[in-house]
Amino acid sequence: MKHIFKTVISASISATAVVPAVAMAHTGYETSGLMVGITHPFTGLDHLLAMVAVGLWAAQMGGKATWQLPLAFIVTMAFGAGLSMLGVTVPFVEGGILASVIAAGLLVAFAVRFNILLCTALTAGMAMFHGVAHGAEMPVAASGLSYLSGFLLATLMLHLAGIALIKAGKPAIAAMTARITGAGIAAGGLVLAVI
């Protein structure tokens, strides 16, 4: 199992390093969508915290949840972004994002383990708000597909970072680190909610 995560992480890092270079190598192609998409989740603390928390929670649960929760997040986020790009209005986006950060942090801090279907549904619910926000913030001149590809890749990287934090260390230390990180994420969400 560890070698699978090492392979996925290495491939993701390689792709992140190579994709911008490839995109910039040809003049005449729209590149800002991809680059903006890749950087977008890293520039918003709310997005960054939630996406790392999903990876942490998935790894805490283990088994199928390790890949099922991140996959549910990415697919639903893409769907939400698509709705937003088509002009569909979704209410309470900012509140939903902040609630998702706090909830995801608490789920990790308390190492909550619900039925996998419920966990997947919760993860998808959180992702919808993030996806709608990403779609709404797409630059006007950007290619939608390019922008979408960029932020989905960045989201995968953040999920993998959370998973790696749990899987890379000794189980007892990793479990404590995850709980402390989850509490920090929830606290960060509360701070973001009041500022």
Side-chain angles (χ1 to χ4, degrees):
M1 187 66 139
K2 283 189 177 181
H3 96 281
I4 293 172
F5 285 108
K6 287 180 183 177
T7 303
V8 171
I9 290 169
S10 296
S12 298
I13 291 169
S14 298
T16 303
V18 171
V19 169
V22 171
M24 298 291 196
H26 303 285
T27 58
Y29 290 95
E30 189 283 324
T31 58
S32 66
L34 181 67
M35 296 309 298
V36 171
I38 288 172
T39 59
H40 191 268
F42 293 98
T43 58
L45 187 58
D46 49 357
H47 297 301
L48 188 134
L49 292 174
M51 292 169 191
V52 170
V54 167
L56 288 168
W57 193 35
Q60 277 180 324
M61 290 191 57
K64 290 182 181 180
T66 307
W67 60 266
Q68 198 167 337
L69 298 186
L71 181 62
F73 194 97
I74 288 170
V75 168
T76 309
M77 189 173 69
F79 179 73
L83 288 177
S84 185
M85 289 174 187
L86 291 172
V88 176
T89 303
V90 176
F92 311 115
V93 172
E94 287 305 315
I97 289 171
L98 291 172
S100 77
V101 173
I102 296 164
L106 291 173
L107 290 167
V108 172
F110 292 104
V112 175
R113 294 175 188 266
F114 296 126
N115 172 286
I116 188 66
L117 292 176
L118 178 57
C119 293
T120 302
L122 285 170
T123 302
M126 291 187 274
M128 178 60 77
F129 294 110
H130 289 271
V132 169
H134 281 310
E137 294 166 1
M138 182 180 82
V140 176
S143 156
L145 182 59
S146 195
Y147 177 71
L148 182 71
S149 299
F151 76 72
L152 292 178
L153 178 61
T155 298
L156 175 62
M157 294 292 298
L158 291 167
H159 290 331
L160 290 174
I163 292 169
L165 185 65
I166 301 289
K167 298 291 185 184
K170 295 184 178 184
I173 295 170
M176 184 57 68
T177 302
R179 286 174 171 248
I180 292 168
T181 304
I185 289 170
L190 286 170
V191 169
L192 289 171
V194 297
I195 58 171

